[in-house]
Amino acid sequence: MSYSQRLLQQGTSITRLAHQSRFRQVIQAVGEQQYNCVLDYGCGDGWLLKTLYEQGKIQGGFGVDISPHMLSCCEDIFTDIQGFQFFQPDAMERHIPTRSCDLLLCTETLEHVGDAERAIAQMLPFCKSGAKVVVSVPIEIGPSLLIKQMGRYFANLKGRYGYERYRLPELFSAAILWNTTRFPSSHLENVSLKGHKGFDYRKLEQIVAQKINLEKTQFSPFPLLSNILNSTAIWIGKVP
């Protein structure tokens, strides 16, 4: 079972709702237009790219990920499909022509990188002016966090789901006070790989809005509830 299949099909009803809804809304955000060349930064096992290709929304492109295992998974599921290449971020300049991509995807990735602003700046030169951008990140602050931690707890009881635990004062600070600076987390450290704990999507939104022409922000799985009781924020815009 692939990484994406585990998220979408395993866990609990709460975790499945979060992942399945986010996956559907990202696909809907791409729209009905067909794109010639996509750059998926943080492509994981290629599940999203494969779905978009099967739906006729993309013709080819590039998948970038730091994990050799994930890149190997991508190669496996694209064995019989031409027009896609997969490699690590440090190989982007060797493989992707400047201003060649008309769609940029970055889903569930920027919360993990050490320098999100630098990562965004790394992607943009490979995209055409006006290229569509779809970015998604988890909401790990406010009342949503209480529901997410409960879902993760029960999912972990059923198997090795894996999640970062909070002490009660930490959970109170993040979920009730909307403050992730009062307790230790990787987001307060100068490290290259960060976790979900302590991530505040609102800080990243300011960076994203400075780098792309942000047109719309939507939330999953309940769009009308804004950042209350939702699991994911999705930003849609265009490359300047």
Side-chain angles (χ1 to χ4, degrees), residues 5-22:
Q5 286 175 312
R6 179 179 70 83
L7 294 181
L8 296 170
Q9 300 173 12
Q10 299 296 306
T12 65
S13 58
I14 294 176
T15 60
R16 288 194 300 273
L17 172 65
H19 293 300
Q20 291 173 5
S21 298
R22 180 250 306 169

Side-chain angles (χ1 to χ4, degrees), residues 26-33 35 57 132:
V26 166
I27 291 175
Q28 290 172 1
V30 171
E32 299 304 320
Q33 178 181 338
Y35 294 91
K57 296 187 177 186
K132 186 159 193 174

Side-chain angles (χ1 to χ4, degrees), residues 61-78:
F62 309 96
V64 176
D65 204 281
I66 64 169
S67 168
H69 172 67
M70 289 297 181
L71 295 175
S72 177
C73 291
C74 290
E75 297 284 359
D76 288 342
I77 69 171
F78 277 85

Side-chain angles (χ1 to χ4, degrees), residues 45-65:
D45 56 14
W47 193 269
L48 175 60
L49 284 177
K50 181 72 176 298
T51 301
L52 291 172
Y53 175 80
E54 291 174 341
Q55 292 185 3
K57 296 187 177 186
I58 57 174
Q59 292 183 320
F62 309 96
V64 176
D65 204 281

Side-chain angles (χ1 to χ4, degrees), residues 21 45 58 69 71 118 126 138 140 153 170 188 193 208 222:
S21 298
D45 56 14
I58 57 174
H69 172 67
L71 295 175
R118 180 177 178 273
F126 303 107
E140 301 289 339
Y153 172 80
E170 295 173 341
L188 297 179
L193 184 63
V208 171
F222 310 114

Side-chain angles (χ1 to χ4, degrees), residues 165-237:
R165 291 170 172 80
Y166 285 72
R167 295 185 299 110
L168 283 178
E170 295 173 341
L171 194 59
F172 179 82
S173 179
I176 306 302
L177 302 181
W178 295 73
N179 189 330
T180 60
T181 65
R182 296 187 174 190
F183 53 86
S185 78
S186 57
H187 287 276
L188 297 179
E189 303 171 11
N190 185 22
V191 294
S192 59
L193 184 63
K194 299 180 183 291
H196 280 208
K197 183 177 180 179
F199 174 66
D200 185 345
Y201 82 94
R202 300 171 301 177
K203 298 176 181 178
L204 180 58
E205 184 173 27
Q206 296 176 6
I207 297 174
V208 171
Q210 292 172 359
K211 297 295 183 180
I212 71 169
N213 294 330
L214 189 59
E215 298 178 337
K216 184 179 181 181
T217 300
Q218 59 189 48
F219 299 91
S220 171
F222 310 114
L224 296 180
L225 295 182
S226 185
N227 58 359
I228 304 297
L229 301 183
N230 271 308
S231 62
T232 306
I234 301 171
W235 298 309
I236 303 167

